[in-house]
C-alpha cells in the first residue's frame, strides 16, 4: 500500500503532498499504477511452424490517483463565529485548494508522482475531475481524481546520489611532517581505464556522464561500452581546458552533449560526434566501460562520473 505521495508539475515546479493520514489538505484514497502491456513482434518464413520472435514492444501506462480535499477546520475555529460563518470558511478553504489543484494539473504540462523513493512521469489526460455527488463534493470535503498517461511507463529512482567515479584522490599528508630522504607523498590519484557499471533495473537504461578535465589541455575523450561494443567518440572537441566539464545525457528522448567551460561559457558538442558514435546504453547487470584521452600527455587525467537512470516496472510499496 502507498500511504503518501507527492505530485510535482515538471514545468512550474509547484507541488502538493497527498497523505493517507490526513496531515495535509489532500487525503489519499487510492492510487492505481496500472501496468503496461507487451506486444510481441514476430515474423515467419514459408513452411515454418509457428513464428519467430524478433522483439517486444512495451505500451504506455495509465495511472490514476483518487483522493479528497478537506477543510481541516477544527472546533477552535468555530469560536466567535456563527454556524453560517463556519460553513462558509470551510467552503472557502475547499475552493482555494481546488484552485491550487487545478493550477497544478494541466494537460499541457507533465507531472511527476513521487512515491516510495521512486517517481513516474506522465501527461494528464484531462483536467482534475471532481465528484458530482453531494455527499462527495460539499463544503466539508471534495472527492477528486487525476488521470495520466505515461509514454515512458517505467518507474525511476528518485535519488540521484548514486554514481561511479573513474578517478579518486587520497590524501597522505600527516602532521607533524617528517622530511624523508627519498621524498614525501602528500597525496595520490588513482585512475582507471576500465570500469564496471551495474544496472539493477528491469531493462536497459541511459546515463548521465560528467567528464571533468583535471590536467593540461587535451583534445577529447573516447568512451566504449565493452559489452555492447557501442562507442561515443568525442575526440574532435578541440580545446578541452583544465576545469572544463563535458556533460553527456544518453537517456532516451533527452540525448545531449554540452561543454561547460571553466570561463562560464557553454558549447553544444553534438556536432563533434563521429559517425560510428552512439549514445551509450547499459543493459541489465554489469557493463564494462573503457575510456581513452586524445592528445593527452603522460599523467593527464579526467574525472568521469557515471550516474545510471535505472528503470523499474513495479516498485516496493511501503
Amino acid at each position: 500500500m502507498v500511504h503518501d505521495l507527492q505530485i510535482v508539475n515538471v514545468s512550474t515546479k509547484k507541488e502538493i503532498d497527498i497523505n493517507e493520514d490526513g496531515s495535509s489538505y489532500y487525503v489519499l484514497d487510492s492510487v492505481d499504477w496500472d501496468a503496461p502491456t507487451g506486444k510481441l513482434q514476430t515474423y515467419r518464413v514459408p513452411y515454418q511452424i509457428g513464428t519467430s520472435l524478433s522483439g517486444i514492444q512495451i505500451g504506455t501506462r495509465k495511472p490514476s490517483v483518487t483522493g479528497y480535499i478537506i477543510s481541516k477546520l477544527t472546533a477552535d475555529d468555530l469560536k466567535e463565529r456563527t454556524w453560517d460563518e463556519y460553513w462558509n470558511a470551510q467552503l472557502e478553504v475547499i475552493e482555494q485548494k481546488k484552485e491550487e489543484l487545478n493550477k497544478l494539473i494541466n494537460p499541457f504540462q507533465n507531472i511527476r508522482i513521487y512515491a516510495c523513493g521512486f517517481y513516474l512521469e506522465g501527461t494528464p489526460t484531462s483536467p482534475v475531475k471532481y465528484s458530482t455527488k453531494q455527499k462527495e463534493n460539499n463544503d466539508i470535503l471534495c472527492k477528486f481524481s487525476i488521470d495520466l498517461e505515461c509514454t515512458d511507463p517505467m518507474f525511476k529512482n528518485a535519488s540521484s546520489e548514486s554514481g561511479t567515479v573513474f578517478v579518486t584522490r587520497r590524501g597522505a599528508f600527516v602532521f607533524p611532517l617528517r622530511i624523508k630522504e627519498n621524498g614525501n607523498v602528500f597525496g595520490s590519484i588513482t585512475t582507471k581505464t576500465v570500469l564496471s557499471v551495474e544496472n539493477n533495473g528491469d531493462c536497459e537504461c541511459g546515463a548521465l556522464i560528467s567528464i571533468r578535465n583535471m590536467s593540461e589541455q587535451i583534445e577529447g575523450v573516447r568512451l566504449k561500452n565493452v559489452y555492447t561494443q557501442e562507442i561515443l567518440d568525442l575526440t574532435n572537441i578541440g580545446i578541452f581546458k583544465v576545469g572544463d566539464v563535458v556533460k553527456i545525457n544518453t537517456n532516451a528522448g533527452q540525448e545531449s552533449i554540452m561543454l561547460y567551460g571553466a570561463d562560464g561559457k557553454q558549447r553544444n558538442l553534438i556536432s563533434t560526434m563521429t559517425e560510428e558514435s552512439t549514445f551509450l546504453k547499459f543493459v541489465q547487470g554489469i557493463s564494462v566501460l573503457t575510456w581513452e584521452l586524445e592528445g593527452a600527455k603522460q599523467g593527464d587525467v579526467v574525472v568521469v562520473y557515471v550516474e545510471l537512470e535505472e528503470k523499474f516496472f513495479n516498485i516496493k510499496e511501503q
Side-chain angles (χ1 to χ4, degrees), residues 67-80:
Y68 291 88
I69 300 174
I70 59 175
S71 66
K72 292 191 67 175
L73 293 184
T74 63
D76 292 336
D77 298 307
L78 181 59
K79 295 178 180 178
E80 299 182 359

Side-chain angles (χ1 to χ4, degrees), residues 9 101-111 122-128:
N9 185 305
L101 194 58
N102 292 336
K103 293 290 185 182
L104 183 74
I105 307 301
N106 187 331
F108 292 107
Q109 298 168 339
N110 276 15
I111 66 170
T123 304
T125 55
S126 70
V128 184

